[in-house]
Amino acid sequence: MKAGSLREFILDNLRAGRWRAGDRLPPERSLSDQFTLSRGSVRKVLQDLRGLGLIEQTVGSGTYVTEGADAVIRTLPAVRPAAVQTSPAELMEARITLEPAVLELVVAQATAADFERMDECCERAEAAQTLEEFEHWDGLLHEVIAGATRNSFVTGVFRLMNQARAQTEWGALKRRSVTPERRQEYQREHRRLVQALKARDLEQARSAALAHLEHVRRNLFGS
């Protein structure tokens, strides 16, 4: 089974109310055995769901459903969008068109918990030891921002874009283009975007988002 099956298994249990705030999830080893996944793959799924604010983890104790999980789960699409095949150029074009456009909803709807999750994604990306780990938290930041719109369709579209970012062609292009210096620049740009959102400054947030995306496009395609 793929990691997506584990993710949907957890989400389905949360949606159905089988797991509620404070409930403990099965141990990583049990999930690894059940879904035939490596422990690392299980941890990556749990990191993703923790970044969305659905679960929290306590060292030596386990993984638990958060108090705010019920509110968060209502913002997520009930059906996981199907993966798509698209070129990096098409994906970049879509991101530049869509990402700045949804920020008005974020400025209007985002909560303190959303901003905390955005800050965590920035911190985790800055602490990442590998490009793959950085990409994970980079993508999750954009997904958390989308979730702050409180619009399940928007959240589904952004998750679909994240799936497209996981394609081999995009990953190879990103690995060739990202230097340590560029990664630091991206991190600073992420911080500027989050700060503008926290200030509920729509004009600055849109400007920061567009500048970041145009920067990524230049680095990826050279124009």
Side-chain angles (χ1 to χ4, degrees), residues 1 53 86 122 159 207 211:
M1 288 187 177
T86 188
C122 288
R159 184 165 295 113
S207 177

Side-chain angles (χ1 to χ4, degrees), residues 30 55 64 76 92-93 100 159 176-177 180-181 191 200 219:
S30 297
I55 62 173
Y64 297 87
L76 302 180
M92 197 72 247
E93 185 177 63
R159 184 165 295 113
R176 288 197 299 270
S177 70
E181 293 76 20
R191 286 290 191 179
R200 301 194 189 273
N219 287 339

Side-chain angles (χ1 to χ4, degrees), residues 194-213:
V194 172
Q195 287 302 316
L197 292 173
K198 291 167 77 172
R200 301 194 189 273
D201 187 328
L202 178 58
E203 183 177 349
Q204 285 297 318
R206 282 179 171 164
S207 177
L210 188 57
H212 171 62
L213 292 167

Side-chain angles (χ1 to χ4, degrees), residues 9 186 191:
F9 168 75
Y186 292 162
R191 286 290 191 179

